[in-house]
Structure formats: C-alpha cells, structure tokens
Amino acid sequence: DTEVTQTPKHLVMGMTNKKSLKCEQHMGHRAMYWYKQKAKKPPELMFVYSYEKLSINESVPSRFSPECPNSSLLNLHLHALQPEDSALYLCASRDSGDGYTFGSGTRLTVV
Amino acid sequence: GEDVEQSLFLSVREGDSSVINCTYTDSSSTYLYWYKQEPGAGLQLLTYIFSNMDMKQDQRLTVLLNKKDKHLSLRIADTQTGDSAIYFCAERDTDKLIFGTGTRLQVFP
C-alpha cells in the first residue's frame, strides 16, 4: 500500500455543523500533514504531526482541530466553519526519507 | 517568508519539450520538488532534487538546479496531452513544503 487515503472526497456542511476529515496511510510514515488549497492557489500548510505529536501549527484558527490517534491515522475536526473555509483539504505523509505523498483531498464546501 | 515564483501559463504542441521554471528565495532549502495536479485531484510527486545536485533525470523528466541563481526548472520531453495539468515546484524548509504559485501546462495536438 503506497497511498494516502482521504475520506470523504466531498463534504458540504453548514456553519453550525461539526464534521471530521480523515486521512489514513499504511506505509509506516511517521510524519503527517494537513494542507489547505483554495481554488487556483498553491497548497498552504496547516499542521504537522511527527511521531503522533503536533510539531507545527501554522496559526490555524481553533475551529480547525487536528488529531493523530495513531501512527496511521490523522483527523481534522471542523466546527463552526465559515464560507471562506471552503477549499480542498489535502493530507500528506513522509517517511524518514524525503518524498512527501499526498492524498487526493477532501473538497469542503461550507454553506 | 519565502516566496516561490512560477510563470502562470505554458502552452506547447504535443511532441515538443516543455520547460517549466521556478525561482525560490530560501538558499537554505535542502530539497526541491516538482508536483503535478490534475483538475479536481490531489498532488502527484514527479521528482525531487537534493540541493547539492545540479541535475536529475528520470525518464522524460529532467530537473535542473542553479543554486547560485536560486532557479529550478523541469523539462518534460515529448510532451503528451496527458501531461496537461498544473505543475507546482516546492522547496523544503525544515519540515514544511513551501509551494510555488503553479504553472498551468496546456498541450495541444
């Protein structure tokens, strides 16, 4: 298994909803990442987990809450989002080498 | 912060070579990457180069790195319609990938 799997692929949520994005990899990678990509823009880093511990938070608003329950799984909990949070959310992982593997993303629409 | 710049658009004829350029500002970057993104999809890693190298070739792809000028390029030989996509360069800063602005490559018959 050489993939990063993200679910769901698409998500529509209201501003008062709570939802979660899920990311899974079984490559034994010990670093996992959340990126946000707005339309026609490059991805921007949100969070980095290294060995299941949060190592980087790029000043992301608290309505986004990451969680790493184990070395294969990364979640992003969403609460009270705004329409401007609509974007493609990408998960990535990296092994002790240097290649970053990205998932296909969750396209989030906040209504 | 770091800025990674790319030209916005490139159009080539099928069978020709494509050259996508990237300039970066962080001279301490250890690795530089090229990713491909097709419409509605995630990022596909194409290749990457260590900063002490000046060239890397992988089948149809050739990466050139000019560290003095902080310039990176990706050459795609024999470009095909399936190569149409957005191409991002990225530099690695500690454990962060900083992406360029992206170049949309359009291949026409």
Side-chain angles (χ1 to χ4, degrees):
Chain A
D1 187 352
T2 58
E3 289 185 349
V4 173
T5 302
Q6 290 188 243
T7 54
K9 293 199 182 307
H10 301 273
L11 178 63
V12 179
M13 63 184 289
M15 289 187 283
T16 58
N17 291 161
K18 285 185 182 182
K19 296 286 185 184
S20 296
L21 310 185
K22 181 178 169 182
C23 173
E24 201 162 359
Q25 56 88 13
H26 297 286
M27 296 178 280
H29 292 180
R30 303 316 297 264
M32 295 184 76
Y33 308 78
W34 280 115
Y35 279 81
K36 174 181 177 178
Q37 186 179 24
K38 299 282 280 183
K40 300 189 190 306
K41 296 289 187 184
E44 293 180 338
L45 181 67
M46 299 174 74
F47 302 104
V48 180
Y49 271 82
S50 180
Y51 290 89
E52 300 164 49
K53 292 195 185 323
L54 183 65
S55 58
I56 297 176
N57 176 342
E58 291 284 282
S59 303
V60 179
S62 60
R63 58 186 184 268
F64 295 91
S65 174
E67 179 198 18
C68 190
N70 60 57
S71 59
S72 299
L73 198 51
L74 185 66
N75 297 320
L76 185 63
H77 303 299
L78 313 172
H79 173 54
L81 294 195
Q82 303 297 309
E84 58 264 29
D85 296 321
S86 299
L88 181 67
Y89 289 84
L90 293 162
C91 174
S93 68
R94 181 179 63 83
D95 61 12
S96 55
D98 312 297
Y100 293 73
T101 303
F102 281 81
S104 55
T106 294
R107 188 161 299 281
L108 174 69
T109 303
V110 182
V111 296
Chain B
E2 305 87 352
D3 286 322
V4 184
E5 297 289 336
Q6 298 178 238
S7 51
L8 282 179
F9 191 76
L10 177 66
S11 180
V12 300
R13 188 180 299 276
E14 192 174 17
D16 287 351
S17 291
S18 308
V19 179
I20 302 171
N21 295 302
C22 170
T23 57
Y24 60 98
T25 56
D26 186 357
S27 58
S28 64
S29 296
T30 52
Y31 289 90
L32 295 134
Y33 300 78
W34 284 103
Y35 281 87
K36 175 184 179 182
Q37 188 173 37
E38 298 186 60
L43 297 170
Q44 176 192 350
L45 176 64
L46 294 176
T47 187
Y48 60 94
I49 188 167
F50 187 49
S51 57
N52 70 351
M53 299 170 64
D54 51 22
M55 187 181 96
K56 181 178 179 182
Q57 187 154 3
D58 185 358
Q59 299 182 339
R60 292 191 298 125
L61 305 179
T62 303
V63 178
L64 296 178
L65 175 60
N66 181 328
K67 205 173 176 188
K68 173 174 165 289
D69 294 337
K70 299 192 187 82
H71 183 263
L72 181 74
S73 68
L74 174 70
R75 179 177 180 269
I76 305 172
D78 187 25
T79 313
Q80 302 297 307
T81 54
D83 295 322
S84 295
I86 298 176
Y87 290 79
F88 291 99
C89 63
E91 60 176 342
R92 181 173 165 185
D93 172 26
T94 56
D95 204 13
K96 294 194 250 188
L97 278 185
I98 312 294
F99 285 89
T101 46
T103 299
R104 180 178 295 277
L105 174 65
Q106 183 177 42
V107 182
F108 58 93

